[in-house]
Structure formats: C-alpha cells, structure tokens
Coordinates of all heavy atoms in Angstrom, one line a residue:
M1 N 63.7 165.1 81.9 CA 64.6 164.3 82.7 C 64.2 164.4 84.1 O 63.9 165.5 84.6 CB 66.0 164.8 82.5 CG 66.5 164.7 81.0 SD 66.6 163.0 80.4 CE 68.2 162.5 81.0
S2 N 64.3 163.4 84.8 CA 64.0 163.4 86.3 C 65.1 163.9 87.1 O 64.9 164.2 88.3 CB 63.6 162.0 86.7 OG 64.8 161.2 86.7
G3 N 66.3 164.0 86.6 CA 67.4 164.5 87.4 C 68.0 163.4 88.3 O 68.9 163.7 89.1
G4 N 67.5 162.2 88.1 CA 68.0 161.1 88.9 C 69.4 160.7 88.4 O 69.9 161.0 87.3
R5 N 70.1 160.0 89.3 CA 71.5 159.5 89.0 C 71.6 158.0 89.3 O 70.8 157.5 90.1 CB 72.5 160.2 89.9 CG 72.9 161.6 89.4 CD 74.1 162.0 90.1 NE 73.6 162.9 91.2 CZ 74.4 163.3 92.2 NH1 75.6 163.0 92.2 NH2 73.9 164.1 93.1
R6 N 72.5 157.4 88.6 CA 72.8 156.0 88.9 C 74.3 155.9 89.3 O 75.2 156.4 88.6 CB 72.5 155.2 87.7 CG 72.7 153.7 87.9 CD 72.2 152.9 86.7 NE 72.3 151.5 87.1 CZ 71.8 150.6 86.4 NH1 71.2 150.8 85.2 NH2 71.9 149.3 86.8
T7 N 74.6 155.2 90.4 CA 75.9 155.0 90.8 C 76.2 153.6 91.1 O 75.3 152.8 91.3 CB 76.2 155.9 92.1 OG1 75.4 155.4 93.1 CG2 76.0 157.3 91.8
F8 N 77.5 153.2 91.2 CA 77.8 151.9 91.6 C 79.1 151.9 92.5 O 79.8 152.9 92.4 CB 78.1 151.0 90.4 CG 79.2 151.5 89.5 CD1 80.5 151.1 89.7 CD2 78.9 152.3 88.4 CE1 81.5 151.6 88.9 CE2 79.9 152.8 87.6 CZ 81.2 152.4 87.8
E9 N 79.2 150.9 93.3 CA 80.4 150.8 94.1 C 81.6 150.4 93.3 O 81.6 149.4 92.7 CB 80.1 149.9 95.3 CG 81.2 149.8 96.3 CD 80.9 148.8 97.4 OE1 79.7 148.4 97.5 OE2 81.8 148.4 98.1
A10 N 82.7 151.2 93.4 CA 83.8 151.0 92.5 C 84.5 149.6 92.9 O 84.9 148.9 92.0 CB 84.9 152.1 92.7
K11 N 84.5 149.2 94.1 CA 85.2 148.0 94.5 C 84.4 146.8 93.9 O 85.0 145.8 93.4 CB 85.2 147.8 96.0 CG 86.3 148.6 96.7 CD 86.3 148.4 98.1 CE 87.4 149.2 98.8 NZ 87.4 148.9 100.3
R12 N 83.1 146.8 93.9 CA 82.3 145.7 93.4 C 82.5 145.6 91.9 O 82.6 144.6 91.3 CB 80.8 145.9 93.7 CG 80.6 145.7 95.2 CD 79.1 145.9 95.6 NE 78.3 144.9 94.9 CZ 77.0 145.0 94.8 NH1 76.4 145.9 95.5 NH2 76.3 144.1 94.2
F13 N 82.5 146.8 91.2 CA 82.7 146.8 89.8 C 84.1 146.3 89.4 O 84.2 145.4 88.5 CB 82.5 148.2 89.2 CG 82.7 148.3 87.7 CD1 81.7 147.8 86.9 CD2 83.8 148.8 87.2 CE1 81.9 147.8 85.5 CE2 84.0 148.9 85.8 CZ 83.0 148.4 85.0
A14 N 85.1 146.7 90.1 CA 86.4 146.3 89.8 C 86.6 144.8 90.0 O 87.3 144.1 89.3 CB 87.4 147.1 90.7
G15 N 86.0 144.3 91.1 CA 86.1 142.8 91.3 C 85.4 142.0 90.2 O 85.9 140.9 90.0
A16 N 84.4 142.6 89.6 CA 83.7 141.8 88.6 C 84.4 142.0 87.2 O 84.3 141.1 86.4 CB 82.2 142.2 88.5
A17 N 85.0 143.1 87.0 CA 85.6 143.4 85.7 C 87.0 143.1 85.5 O 87.5 142.8 84.4 CB 85.3 144.8 85.3
Y18 N 87.8 143.2 86.6 CA 89.2 142.9 86.5 C 89.6 141.5 86.9 O 88.9 140.9 87.8 CB 90.0 143.9 87.4 CG 90.1 145.3 86.9 CD1 89.3 146.3 87.5 CD2 90.9 145.6 85.9 CE1 89.4 147.6 87.1 CE2 90.9 146.9 85.4 CZ 90.2 147.9 86.0 OH 90.2 149.2 85.6
N19 N 90.7 141.0 86.4 CA 91.2 139.7 86.9 C 91.7 139.9 88.3 O 92.1 141.0 88.6 CB 92.3 139.2 86.0 CG 91.8 138.6 84.7 OD1 90.7 138.2 84.6 ND2 92.7 138.4 83.7
P20 N 91.7 138.9 89.1 CA 92.1 139.0 90.5 C 93.5 139.6 90.6 O 93.8 140.3 91.6 CB 92.0 137.6 91.1 CG 91.0 137.0 90.2 CD 91.1 137.6 88.9
D21 N 94.4 139.2 89.7 CA 95.8 139.7 89.8 C 95.9 141.2 89.3 O 97.0 141.8 89.4 CB 96.7 138.8 89.0 CG 96.4 138.8 87.5 OD1 95.6 139.5 87.0 OD2 97.1 138.0 86.8
G22 N 94.8 141.8 88.8 CA 94.8 143.2 88.4 C 95.5 143.5 87.1 O 95.8 144.7 86.8
T23 N 95.9 142.5 86.3 CA 96.7 142.7 85.1 C 95.8 143.2 83.9 O 96.3 143.9 83.0 CB 97.4 141.5 84.7 OG1 96.5 140.4 84.5 CG2 98.5 141.1 85.7
N24 N 94.6 142.8 83.8 CA 93.8 143.2 82.7 C 92.3 143.0 83.0 O 91.9 142.5 84.1 CB 94.1 142.3 81.5 CG 93.9 140.8 81.7 OD1 93.4 140.4 82.7 ND2 94.2 140.0 80.7
W25 N 91.5 143.4 82.1 CA 90.0 143.3 82.2 C 89.7 141.8 82.1 O 90.1 141.1 81.2 CB 89.3 144.1 81.2 CG 89.3 145.5 81.4 CD1 90.3 146.4 80.9 CD2 88.4 146.3 82.1 NE1 90.0 147.7 81.3 CE2 88.8 147.6 82.0 CE3 87.2 146.0 82.8 CZ2 88.1 148.7 82.6 CZ3 86.5 147.0 83.4 CH2 87.0 148.3 83.3
G26 N 88.8 141.3 82.9 CA 88.4 139.9 82.8 C 87.3 139.6 81.8 O 87.0 138.5 81.5
V27 N 86.8 140.7 81.2 CA 85.7 140.5 80.3 C 86.1 140.9 78.9 O 85.3 140.8 77.9 CB 84.5 141.4 80.7 CG1 83.9 140.9 82.0 CG2 84.8 142.9 80.8
E28 N 87.3 141.4 78.7 CA 87.8 141.8 77.3 C 88.4 140.6 76.6 O 89.1 139.8 77.1 CB 88.8 142.9 77.5 CG 88.2 144.2 78.0 CD 87.3 144.9 77.1 OE1 87.5 144.8 75.8 OE2 86.3 145.5 77.5
N29 N 88.2 140.6 75.3 CA 88.8 139.6 74.4 C 88.5 138.2 74.7 O 89.3 137.3 74.4 CB 90.3 139.9 74.3 CG 90.7 141.2 73.8 OD1 90.0 141.7 72.9 ND2 91.7 141.8 74.4
I30 N 87.4 138.0 75.3 CA 86.9 136.6 75.6 C 85.6 136.4 75.0 O 84.6 137.1 75.4 CB 86.9 136.3 77.1 CG1 88.3 136.5 77.7 CG2 86.3 134.9 77.4 CD1 88.3 136.4 79.2
G31 N 85.5 135.5 74.0 CA 84.2 135.3 73.4 C 83.5 134.1 74.1 O 83.9 133.6 75.1
V32 N 82.6 133.5 73.4 CA 81.9 132.3 73.8 C 82.8 131.1 73.6 O 83.3 130.9 72.4 CB 80.5 132.2 73.1 CG1 79.8 130.9 73.5 CG2 79.6 133.4 73.4
I33 N 82.9 130.3 74.6 CA 83.8 129.1 74.4 C 82.9 128.1 73.5 O 81.8 127.7 73.9 CB 84.1 128.5 75.7 CG1 84.9 129.5 76.5 CG2 84.9 127.2 75.6 CD1 85.2 129.1 78.0
P34 N 83.5 127.7 72.4 CA 82.7 126.8 71.5 C 82.5 125.4 72.0 O 83.3 124.9 72.8 CB 83.6 126.8 70.2 CG 85.0 127.1 70.7 CD 84.8 127.9 71.9
D35 N 81.4 124.8 71.7 CA 81.1 123.4 72.0 C 82.0 122.5 71.2 O 82.4 121.4 71.7 CB 79.7 123.1 71.8 CG 78.7 123.8 72.7 OD1 79.1 124.2 73.8 OD2 77.6 124.1 72.3
I36 N 82.3 122.8 70.0 CA 83.1 122.0 69.1 C 84.2 122.9 68.5 O 83.9 123.9 67.9 CB 82.2 121.4 67.9 CG1 81.1 120.6 68.5 CG2 83.1 120.7 66.9 CD1 80.1 120.2 67.5
G37 N 85.4 122.5 68.7 CA 86.5 123.3 68.2 C 86.7 123.0 66.7 O 86.7 121.9 66.3
V38 N 86.9 124.1 65.9 CA 87.2 123.9 64.5 C 88.4 124.8 64.1 O 88.4 126.0 64.4 CB 86.0 124.3 63.6 CG1 86.3 124.2 62.2 CG2 84.8 123.5 64.0
E39 N 89.4 124.2 63.5 CA 90.6 124.9 63.1 C 90.3 125.6 61.8 O 89.8 124.9 60.8 CB 91.8 124.0 63.0 CG 93.1 124.7 62.7 CD 94.3 123.8 62.7 OE1 94.1 122.6 63.1 OE2 95.3 124.2 62.2
I40 N 90.7 126.8 61.7 CA 90.6 127.6 60.4 C 92.0 127.9 60.0 O 92.7 128.7 60.7 CB 89.7 128.8 60.6 CG1 88.3 128.5 61.1 CG2 89.6 129.6 59.3 CD1 87.5 129.7 61.5
T41 N 92.4 127.4 58.9 CA 93.8 127.6 58.4 C 93.8 128.7 57.4 O 92.7 129.1 56.8 CB 94.3 126.3 57.7 OG1 93.5 126.0 56.6 CG2 94.2 125.1 58.7
P42 N 94.9 129.3 57.1 CA 95.0 130.3 56.1 C 94.6 129.8 54.7 O 94.0 130.5 53.9 CB 96.5 130.7 56.1 CG 97.0 130.4 57.5 CD 96.2 129.2 57.9
K43 N 94.8 128.5 54.5 CA 94.4 127.9 53.2 C 92.9 128.0 53.1 O 92.3 128.2 52.0 CB 94.9 126.5 53.0 CG 96.4 126.4 52.8 CD 96.8 124.9 52.6 CE 98.3 124.8 52.5 NZ 98.7 123.4 52.3
D44 N 92.2 127.7 54.2 CA 90.7 127.8 54.2 C 90.3 129.2 53.8 O 89.4 129.4 53.0 CB 90.1 127.4 55.5 CG 90.4 125.9 55.8 OD1 90.4 125.1 54.9 OD2 90.5 125.6 57.0
W45 N 90.9 130.2 54.5 CA 90.5 131.6 54.2 C 90.8 132.0 52.8 O 89.9 132.6 52.2 CB 91.3 132.5 55.2 CG 90.9 133.9 55.2 CD1 89.8 134.4 55.8 CD2 91.5 134.9 54.4 NE1 89.7 135.8 55.5 CE2 90.8 136.1 54.6 CE3 92.6 135.0 53.6 CZ2 91.1 137.3 54.1 CZ3 92.9 136.2 53.0 CH2 92.2 137.3 53.2
I46 N 91.9 131.6 52.3 CA 92.3 131.9 50.9 C 91.3 131.3 49.9 O 90.9 131.9 48.9 CB 93.7 131.5 50.6 CG1 94.7 132.4 51.3 CG2 94.0 131.6 49.1 CD1 96.2 131.9 51.3
A47 N 90.9 130.1 50.2 CA 90.0 129.3 49.3 C 88.5 129.8 49.5 O 87.6 129.4 48.8 CB 90.1 127.8 49.6
G48 N 88.3 130.7 50.5 CA 86.9 131.2 50.7 C 86.0 130.2 51.5 O 84.8 130.3 51.4
R49 N 86.7 129.2 52.1 CA 85.9 128.2 52.9 C 85.6 128.7 54.3 O 86.4 129.5 54.8 CB 86.7 126.9 53.0 CG 86.8 126.2 51.7 CD 87.5 124.8 51.8 NE 86.8 124.0 52.8 CZ 87.3 123.5 53.9 NH1 88.6 123.7 54.2 NH2 86.6 122.7 54.7
D50 N 84.6 128.2 54.9 CA 84.2 128.5 56.3 C 84.1 127.2 57.0 O 83.0 126.7 57.1 CB 83.0 129.3 56.3 CG 82.7 129.9 57.7 OD1 83.3 129.4 58.7 OD2 81.8 130.8 57.8
P51 N 85.2 126.6 57.6 CA 85.1 125.4 58.3 C 84.1 125.4 59.4 O 83.5 124.4 59.7 CB 86.5 125.1 58.7 CG 87.4 125.9 57.9 CD 86.5 127.1 57.5
Q52 N 84.0 126.5 60.1 CA 83.0 126.6 61.2 C 81.6 126.4 60.7 O 80.8 125.6 61.3 CB 83.1 127.9 62.0 CG 84.4 128.1 62.8 CD 84.5 129.4 63.4 OE1 84.1 130.4 62.9 NE2 85.0 129.4 64.7
L53 N 81.3 127.1 59.6 CA 79.9 126.9 59.1 C 79.7 125.5 58.6 O 78.6 124.9 58.8 CB 79.7 127.9 58.0 CG 78.3 127.9 57.3 CD1 77.2 128.2 58.3 CD2 78.3 128.9 56.2
E54 N 80.7 125.0 57.9 CA 80.5 123.6 57.4 C 80.3 122.6 58.5 O 79.5 121.7 58.4 CB 81.8 123.2 56.6 CG 81.9 124.0 55.3 CD 83.3 123.9 54.6 OE1 84.1 123.1 55.1 OE2 83.6 124.5 53.6
K55 N 81.1 122.8 59.6 CA 80.9 121.8 60.8 C 79.5 122.0 61.4 O 78.9 121.1 61.8 CB 82.0 122.1 61.8 CG 82.0 121.1 62.9 CD 82.2 119.7 62.5 CE 82.4 118.8 63.7 NZ 82.6 117.4 63.3
A56 N 79.1 123.3 61.5 CA 77.8 123.6 62.1 C 76.7 122.9 61.3 O 75.7 122.3 61.8 CB 77.5 125.1 62.2
V57 N 76.8 123.0 60.0 CA 75.7 122.4 59.1 C 75.8 120.9 59.3 O 74.8 120.2 59.4 CB 75.9 122.8 57.6 CG1 75.1 122.0 56.7 CG2 75.7 124.3 57.5
Q58 N 77.0 120.3 59.3 CA 77.1 118.8 59.5 C 76.5 118.4 60.8 O 75.8 117.4 60.8 CB 78.6 118.5 59.5 CG 78.9 117.0 59.7 CD 80.4 116.7 59.9 OE1 81.2 117.6 59.8 NE2 80.7 115.5 60.3
V59 N 76.8 119.1 61.9 CA 76.2 118.7 63.2 C 74.7 118.9 63.2 O 74.0 118.0 63.7 CB 76.9 119.6 64.3 CG1 76.2 119.4 65.6 CG2 78.4 119.2 64.5
A60 N 74.2 119.9 62.6 CA 72.8 120.2 62.5 C 72.1 119.1 61.7 O 71.0 118.6 62.1 CB 72.5 121.5 61.9
M61 N 72.7 118.7 60.6 CA 72.1 117.6 59.8 C 72.1 116.3 60.5 O 71.1 115.5 60.4 CB 72.8 117.5 58.4 CG 72.7 118.7 57.6 SD 71.0 119.2 57.2 CE 70.5 118.0 56.0
E62 N 73.1 116.0 61.3 CA 73.2 114.7 62.1 C 72.1 114.8 63.2 O 71.5 113.8 63.4 CB 74.6 114.5 62.7 CG 75.6 114.2 61.6 CD 77.0 114.2 62.2 OE1 77.2 114.4 63.4 OE2 78.0 114.0 61.4
A63 N 71.9 115.9 63.8 CA 70.9 116.1 64.8 C 69.5 115.9 64.2 O 68.6 115.3 64.9 CB 71.0 117.4 65.5
L64 N 69.3 116.4 63.0 CA 67.9 116.3 62.4 C 67.6 114.8 62.1 O 66.4 114.4 62.1 CB 67.9 117.1 61.1 CG 67.7 118.6 61.3 CD1 67.8 119.3 59.9 CD2 66.4 118.9 61.9
K65 N 68.6 114.0 61.8 CA 68.4 112.6 61.5 C 67.8 111.8 62.8 O 67.2 110.8 62.6 CB 69.7 111.9 61.1 CG 70.1 112.3 59.7 CD 71.4 111.7 59.3 CE 72.0 112.2 58.0 NZ 73.3 111.6 57.7
K66 N 68.1 112.4 63.9 CA 67.7 111.7 65.2 C 66.3 112.2 65.6 O 65.8 111.6 66.6 CB 68.7 112.1 66.3 CG 70.1 111.6 66.0 CD 71.0 112.0 67.1 CE 72.5 111.6 66.7 NZ 73.4 112.2 67.7
V67 N 65.7 113.1 64.9 CA 64.4 113.7 65.4 C 63.3 113.3 64.4 O 63.5 113.3 63.2 CB 64.5 115.2 65.4 CG1 63.2 115.8 65.8 CG2 65.6 115.7 66.4
Q68 N 62.2 112.9 64.9 CA 61.1 112.5 64.0 C 60.4 113.8 63.6 O 60.1 114.7 64.3 CB 60.0 111.7 64.8 CG 60.5 110.3 65.2 CD 60.6 109.4 64.0 OE1 59.9 109.6 63.0 NE2 61.6 108.5 64.0
P69 N 60.1 113.9 62.2 CA 59.5 115.1 61.8 C 58.0 115.2 62.3 O 57.4 114.2 62.5 CB 59.5 114.9 60.2 CG 59.7 113.5 60.0 CD 60.4 112.9 61.2
W70 N 57.6 116.4 62.6 CA 56.3 116.6 63.1 C 55.5 117.4 62.1 O 55.9 118.5 61.6 CB 56.4 117.4 64.4 CG 55.0 117.7 65.0 CD1 54.2 116.9 65.6 CD2 54.4 119.0 65.0 NE1 53.1 117.6 66.0 CE2 53.2 118.9 65.6 CE3 54.8 120.2 64.5 CZ2 52.3 119.9 65.8 CZ3 53.9 121.3 64.7 CH2 52.7 121.1 65.3
T71 N 54.3 116.9 61.7 CA 53.5 117.6 60.8 C 52.2 118.1 61.5 O 51.5 117.2 62.1 CB 53.1 116.7 59.6 OG1 54.3 116.3 59.0 CG2 52.3 117.5 58.6
P72 N 51.9 119.3 61.6 CA 50.7 119.8 62.3 C 49.5 119.3 61.6 O 49.4 119.2 60.4 CB 50.8 121.3 62.3 CG 51.7 121.6 61.1 CD 52.6 120.4 61.0
K73 N 48.4 119.0 62.4 CA 47.2 118.6 61.8 C 46.4 119.8 61.3 O 46.4 120.8 62.0 CB 46.3 117.8 62.8 CG 47.0 116.5 63.2 CD 46.1 115.7 64.2 CE 46.8 114.4 64.5 NZ 46.0 113.6 65.5
K74 N 45.8 119.7 60.2 CA 45.0 120.8 59.6 C 43.7 120.9 60.4 O 43.0 119.9 60.7 CB 44.7 120.4 58.2 CG 44.0 121.6 57.5 CD 43.8 121.2 56.0 CE 43.0 122.3 55.3 NZ 42.8 122.0 53.9
P75 N 43.4 122.1 60.9 CA 42.2 122.3 61.7 C 41.0 122.2 60.8 O 41.0 122.3 59.5 CB 42.3 123.7 62.2 CG 43.3 124.4 61.3 CD 44.2 123.3 60.8
K76 N 39.8 121.9 61.4 CA 38.6 121.8 60.6 C 38.3 123.2 60.0 O 38.4 124.2 60.6 CB 37.4 121.4 61.5 CG 37.5 120.0 62.0 CD 36.3 119.6 62.9 CE 36.4 118.2 63.4 NZ 35.3 117.8 64.2
Y77 N 37.9 123.1 58.7 CA 37.6 124.3 58.0 C 36.2 124.8 58.5 O 35.2 124.1 58.5 CB 37.6 124.1 56.5 CG 37.3 125.3 55.7 CD1 38.2 126.4 55.6 CD2 36.1 125.4 55.1 CE1 37.9 127.5 54.9 CE2 35.7 126.5 54.3 CZ 36.7 127.6 54.2 OH 36.4 128.7 53.5
R78 N 36.1 126.1 58.8 CA 34.9 126.7 59.2 C 34.5 127.7 58.1 O 35.2 128.6 57.8 CB 35.0 127.4 60.5 CG 33.7 127.7 61.2 CD 33.9 128.3 62.5 NE 33.4 129.7 62.4 CZ 33.9 130.7 63.1 NH1 34.9 130.6 63.9 NH2 33.3 131.9 63.0
C79 N 33.3 127.5 57.5 CA 32.9 128.4 56.4 C 32.5 129.7 57.0 O 31.5 129.8 57.8 CB 31.7 127.8 55.7 SG 31.1 128.8 54.3
T80 N 33.1 130.8 56.6 CA 32.8 132.1 57.2 C 32.5 133.1 56.0 O 32.5 134.3 56.2 CB 34.0 132.7 58.0 OG1 35.1 132.8 57.1 CG2 34.3 131.8 59.2
N81 N 32.1 132.6 54.9 CA 31.9 133.5 53.7 C 30.4 133.9 53.6 O 30.1 134.5 52.6 CB 32.4 132.8 52.4 CG 31.6 131.6 52.1 OD1 30.9 131.1 52.9 ND2 31.9 131.0 50.9
K82 N 29.6 133.6 54.6 CA 28.2 134.0 54.5 C 28.0 135.3 55.2 O 28.6 135.6 56.2 CB 27.3 132.9 55.1 CG 27.3 131.6 54.3 CD 26.3 130.7 54.9 CE 26.3 129.4 54.1 NZ 25.4 128.4 54.6
W83 N 27.0 136.1 54.8 CA 26.7 137.3 55.4 C 25.9 137.0 56.7 O 25.2 136.0 56.8 CB 25.8 138.2 54.5 CG 26.6 138.7 53.4 CD1 26.6 138.2 52.1 CD2 27.4 139.9 53.3 NE1 27.4 138.9 51.3 CE2 28.0 140.0 52.0 CE3 27.8 140.8 54.3 CZ2 28.8 141.0 51.7 CZ3 28.7 141.8 53.9 CH2 29.2 141.9 52.6
P84 N 26.0 137.8 57.7 CA 25.3 137.6 59.0 C 23.8 137.4 58.8 O 23.1 136.6 59.4 CB 25.6 138.8 59.8 CG 26.9 139.3 59.3 CD 26.9 139.0 57.9
S85 N 23.2 138.1 57.8 CA 21.8 138.0 57.5 C 21.4 136.7 56.9 O 20.3 136.3 57.0 CB 21.4 139.2 56.6 OG 22.0 139.0 55.3
E86 N 22.4 135.9 56.4 CA 22.1 134.6 55.8 C 22.2 133.5 56.8 O 22.1 132.4 56.5 CB 23.1 134.4 54.6 CG 22.9 135.3 53.5 CD 23.9 135.1 52.4 OE1 24.8 134.3 52.6 OE2 23.8 135.7 51.3
G87 N 22.5 133.9 58.1 CA 22.6 132.8 59.1 C 24.0 132.2 59.2 O 24.1 131.1 59.7
G88 N 25.0 132.9 58.7 CA 26.4 132.3 58.7 C 27.1 132.7 59.9 O 27.9 132.2 60.5

C-alpha cells in the first residue's frame, strides 16, 4: 500500500447526492426512465407473463423490418496446407 488517501469536499458531494430541499438522496430509488412505458398488472404476474419483455421483442421485431439484412462477403480462400519446403 502506498499510504495514499482520497478525500472529497463534503459540500460538493452533498450537492450532487441530495435533493436541493434536503429531504432525501437524489440518486436513491430512481432507475432508468423507460423509452416506452408498459403497465404490469397483478394478473400478468400471476399468469407468469412479462409485458415489458413482450413489448421489447415487439419493438425489436418492428425495427428489424426497417433494416436491410447484410451478408458479409466470403474472403478469397488462400491455400495454406503446403509445407514451406514445397513452396507453399
């Protein structure tokens, strides 16, 4: 260990982590805001359905219809099965 330390200014940290009104952490219990909202009902959960996954697959399949498939071209085959003494 080098014995080094890392410090930070408490005011700067508090400003970034707390809500301005000081009531709670500004980074807690907030996930990524979804692009497409999907409601999950208790009936879906009981039935074992995943509406978020179903919607994601639907959106992905629609996006794939708009894209032209790309097939890579096969490179020229180079024969490398000869021994160096045979001039390969």
Side-chain angles (χ1 to χ4, degrees):
M1 301 296 274
S2 68
R5 282 192 263 171
R6 184 174 186 169
T7 63
F8 59 90
E9 185 181 340
K11 285 183 179 179
R12 289 178 63 190
F13 179 73
Y18 287 107
N19 280 345
D21 61 7
T23 57
N24 62 2
W25 288 89
V27 295
E28 293 290 326
N29 299 322
I30 297 174
V32 177
I33 298 171
D35 295 331
I36 301 170
V38 178
E39 184 178 350
I40 303 173
T41 65
K43 289 181 182 180
D44 293 328
W45 186 83
I46 291 169
R49 291 186 57 240
D50 188 347
Q52 288 179 321
L53 179 61
E54 292 169 4
K55 184 65 174 180
V57 170
Q58 176 190 356
V59 170
M61 296 303 287
E62 290 171 3
L64 284 173
K65 290 177 185 176
K66 299 175 185 176
V67 178
Q68 291 290 330
W70 177 76
T71 305
K73 293 183 181 179
K74 185 175 179 180
K76 291 182 180 180
Y77 179 73
R78 196 176 117 213
C79 182
T80 59
N81 63 353
K82 294 184 180 180
W83 291 97
S85 62
E86 295 176 353

